[in-house]
Every structure is written in C-alpha cells, then in structure tokens.
Amino acid sequence: MKYNRLESFRHILQEPVKAEFRLCMDGKEQGKLSSKVDCLILDMSPSGLRLSTPLNLPAENYLIRMELMFVLFSKPIRTIGEVKWKKSGNGSYVYGIDLEEDEAVEEMIISELKARRRTEVINNKTSSDN
C-alpha cells in the first residue's frame, strides 16, 4: 500500500503526542465504534498524521477508518481519519492516516501546532542557556 502525500507542511513532533483511536465499523455495525486503543502521534499536518501503536490492523486488505482523540497543546481534538499505509518494526506498527476534510479541525490543528512549537522553542532556548 503506497501513498504519496502533497502537503504544505508536516510537523515532526519532538515528543510524540499520546492519543487514542477507535475503529469505525461498517456493515451491520455501521455507526458503532470499537473500544479505545492507545497510540502515539509521531508527526502531523492539518490533513494527516503518522501514528504508532502495537495493534496490527489489516490495512493491506481493508479500508480502515478511525476516530482519533488527542491534545496537541491545550485543546482536545476529535477527528476521523483513514489508514493509507502501514509499516511494521520493533514490536509496533506505524500508520499513515489521511484526515477527513474539516476546515475547523484543520485550523485548530494549525493553531495548536503553532502553540506547541512556540513552547518547544522557548524550552529549548532555556535549556541551552543553562
């Protein structure tokens, strides 16, 4: 499963962000969600992200949609995404997630990433001055 992304920017997080996801069910179970699964967001843009989890999803064979919940800086964000690719290694799986288009969520992600980055820069400057 190969995916080429054209992205205006992608922020690699200095510290991965703890997050949760729930799988969105199709067919008879449509509209229902699985139980929550812990994951780490490794990098992100307003329209997608890369996450790591020990859960092995059958992304090669099925369309997998998930509801993601996380806090980048201060505000909780809830959005829907679709798995586009999968890689395995070191006992965990890394997934590329394409987020549903939602202008309000995209703007919140941008503002939260900016706030997070400002704090990272200030903290890095303070620690290098000591």
Side-chain angles (χ1 to χ4, degrees):
M1 176 183 304
K2 192 163 177 146
Y3 183 66
N4 292 323
R5 61 177 152 66
L6 298 173
E7 204 60 71
S8 58
F9 77 90
R10 180 163 289 269
H11 182 72
I12 298 171
L13 301 163
Q14 286 183 350
E15 287 288 322
V17 171
K18 291 180 182 178
E20 296 177 328
F21 69 85
R22 298 188 304 175
L23 299 177
C24 302
M25 305 297 181
D26 290 332
K28 289 185 209 174
E29 302 293 319
Q30 191 167 1
K32 295 190 178 183
L33 300 171
S34 71
S35 56
K36 292 179 182 176
V37 177
D38 291 330
C39 63
L40 292 174
I41 297 174
L42 306 174
D43 66 41
M44 103 175 299
S45 73
S47 62
L49 57 88
R50 187 170 54 107
L51 67 80
S52 173
T53 182
L55 186 62
N56 182 5
L57 300 171
E60 313 85 53
N61 303 318
Y62 299 99
L63 170 70
I64 297 178
R65 291 174 38 82
M66 60 179 63
E67 177 186 58
L68 293 139
M69 293 124 332
F70 54 92
V71 176
L72 288 172
F73 184 69
S74 64
K75 297 176 183 167
I77 298 173
R78 184 179 298 253
T79 187
I80 302 291
E82 184 177 300
V83 176
K84 291 297 180 183
W85 57 263
K86 167 185 168 182
K87 293 181 183 174
S88 63
N90 298 332
S92 70
Y93 297 88
V94 176
Y95 298 94
I97 310 297
D98 188 24
L99 301 178
E100 279 187 352
E101 285 189 36
D102 182 327
E103 196 170 315
V105 171
E106 288 177 16
E107 287 177 19
M108 187 181 308
I109 288 171
I110 290 169
S111 68
E112 289 289 289
L113 282 174
K114 285 179 180 179
R116 182 182 179 93
R117 184 63 188 147
R118 276 192 294 273
T119 301
E120 289 172 350
V121 168
I122 291 168
N123 289 342
N124 285 340
K125 186 174 189 296
T126 303
S127 65
S128 67
D129 289 344
N130 293 332

